[in-house]
Amino acid sequence: KSAGKNQIATFDPALREARMEHARLTTGLRQAIAQNELTLNYQPVVSLGNGEITAVEALLRWTPEGGKPVRPDVFIPIAEETGLIVPIGLWVLEQACADARRWHEEYGISVTVNVSGRQLRDESFSDAVLGVLERHRLPEQALVLEITESMLLATTPAETQRIISVLALLREHGVRIALDDFGTGYSSLAYLRTLPVDVLKIDRSFTTALTEADHHQTHAFTKAIVELAGSLNLRTVVEGVESGEQAGILQRMGCPLAQGYLFSPPVPAHRIDDLLHLTPWQDAA
Ligand code: C2E
Ligand code: MG
Ligand code: MG
Ligand code: MG
């Protein structure tokens, strides 16, 4: 059946081109680490109260040699499919912890790193994380791992249990866990009960809808999430804040932390050094 499908697709030029592009990217991605084509950008997480940077999120960038940058939305899924996310994810952790050490030492800032389900299913993941922290002499409390509920959808119940125990183990060591893109899945609340998490990141779609014409429902939902998180002792970060109006609404709801272009886009490490010496952003509300 699938062979038949493939045969038909071969005659569709657009699909054929898409598949060749996919193959090119897969080949390229295999060499990306060795060729030094990967870099990290960092996006500040700021306090809505005083504009201070409390954390930075590491966001992976890939520019193939002689080519244009490829978007993470395009290459991360390929890295996951091929398993390349395991070595690439380790590279990200290593680099993020190396960069974060001085930020943590001088400003108490933590670093957050996105991880895929594929990485968490790897037997050696927790040892690898603890090893990286030790090598860079970064305390466990300085690292936050971001997971999504969607990554659990692809796993069997047994795998989900394994992932939960890996996360719980890391958490016992002091590493914190953030639930990313919260509110976009079908069972967000159920995951909140089963997953060992410390930080809730409210998805950008909520922020965007807050200042759109029909915002009453979004407003009620967002407020309820912020309050629920507060009563569960979770830190709440709202994603994708682009305007002062959005920042003001969220601050009045009691949301403590935010991320978004209003404060800073993701920037290279040296720009974080610069930002840390700047006066904090002060126009909230
Ligand atoms: P994410 O973890 O939810 O990261 C937030 C995304 O929103 C980033 O896109 C960021 O650049 C973007 N963003 C931040 N503020 C704003 C804003 O105000 N407005 C808008 N429109 N966008 C904003 P980016 O860097 O393209 O990353 C996309 C996704 O790729 C990430 O979503 C994450 O799921 C994944 N990703 C990135 N780096 C890694 C990594 O090292 N490992 C893994 N496994 N996934 C990664
Ligand atoms: Mg994230
Ligand atoms: Mg997110
Ligand atoms: Mg997102």
Side-chain angles (χ1 to χ4, degrees):
K1 192 177 169 190
S2 72
K5 230 173 165 184
N6 284 342
Q7 265 170 14
I8 293 165
T10 314
F11 297 104
D12 180 331
L15 255 175
R16 189 158 175 275
E17 177 51 40
R19 229 191 280 146
M20 280 167 60
E21 179 66 8
H22 189 282
R24 266 197 299 276
L25 291 174
T26 305
T27 309
L29 208 47
R30 276 186 214 291
Q31 303 158 1
I33 298 181
Q35 311 260 43
N36 289 318
E37 295 168 355
L38 299 179
T39 52
L40 289 184
N41 273 355
Y42 294 92
Q43 187 179 36
V45 175
V46 307
S47 155
L48 277 171
N50 60 17
E52 266 176 33
I53 299 176
T54 64
V56 290
E57 176 175 7
L59 292 159
L60 186 57
R61 298 292 177 258
W62 177 36
T63 310
E65 207 185 298
K68 287 182 303 186
V70 184
R71 292 164 42 106
D73 297 346
V74 173
F75 74 81
I76 298 280
I78 297 176
E80 286 171 345
E81 277 164 40
T82 54
L84 285 166
I85 196 67
V86 173
I88 289 174
L90 271 180
W91 180 89
V92 170
L93 254 161
E94 199 77 60
Q95 187 63 48
C97 289
D99 288 334
R101 181 154 171 231
R102 63 180 184 278
W103 300 329
H104 184 73
E105 269 181 0
E106 290 181 37
Y107 301 94
I109 284 165
S110 45
V111 66
T112 82
V113 172
N114 294 283
V115 295
S116 299
R118 181 66 186 72
Q119 290 173 269
L120 288 170
R121 294 208 299 276
D122 207 79
E123 293 284 326
S124 57
F125 183 74
S126 49
D127 283 344
V129 171
L130 297 173
V132 170
L133 287 167
E134 200 181 347
R135 249 196 315 287
H136 294 281
R137 278 173 288 147
L138 192 69
E140 282 80 359
Q141 289 70 19
L143 179 67
V144 182
L145 298 176
E146 294 195 7
I147 61 167
T148 59
E149 61 181 287
S150 64
M151 80 180 209
L152 292 173
L153 293 178
T155 64
T156 64
E159 279 172 340
T160 304
Q161 266 325 111
R162 242 200 68 72
I163 289 177
I164 290 175
S165 54
V166 168
L167 294 176
L169 179 90
L170 283 166
R171 212 161 161 243
E172 275 168 35
H173 281 86
V175 174
R176 280 168 298 157
I177 312 296
L179 194 52
D180 203 356
D181 303 341
F182 185 79
T184 51
Y186 290 107
S187 46
S188 306
L189 283 179
Y191 281 121
L192 209 49
R193 283 187 59 213
T194 46
L195 286 176
V197 293
D198 306 276
V199 180
L200 208 63
K201 298 190 75 170
I202 302 180
D203 192 67
R204 176 162 62 88
S205 56
F206 286 85
T207 311
T208 309
L210 275 181
T211 42
E212 278 170 359
D214 191 23
H215 59 259
H216 291 287
Q217 241 205 358
T218 305
H219 196 284
F221 264 111
T222 312
K223 192 155 184 282
I225 295 172
V226 170
E227 283 165 6
L228 175 70
S231 58
L232 292 172
N233 281 324
L234 301 171
R235 297 288 275 162
T236 315
V237 181
V238 65
E239 300 189 273
V241 176
E242 296 182 355
S243 72
E245 188 189 358
Q246 291 166 340
I249 294 169
L250 289 157
Q251 193 192 9
R252 283 190 294 277
M253 278 180 190
C255 188
L257 302 166
Q259 223 176 330
Y261 295 166
L262 174 65
F263 309 104
S264 170
V267 292
H270 68 88
R271 289 282 301 135
I272 295 294
D273 292 313
D274 296 343
L275 281 173
L276 288 173
H277 293 100
L278 286 178
T279 41
W281 177 84
Q282 279 168 336
D283 302 321

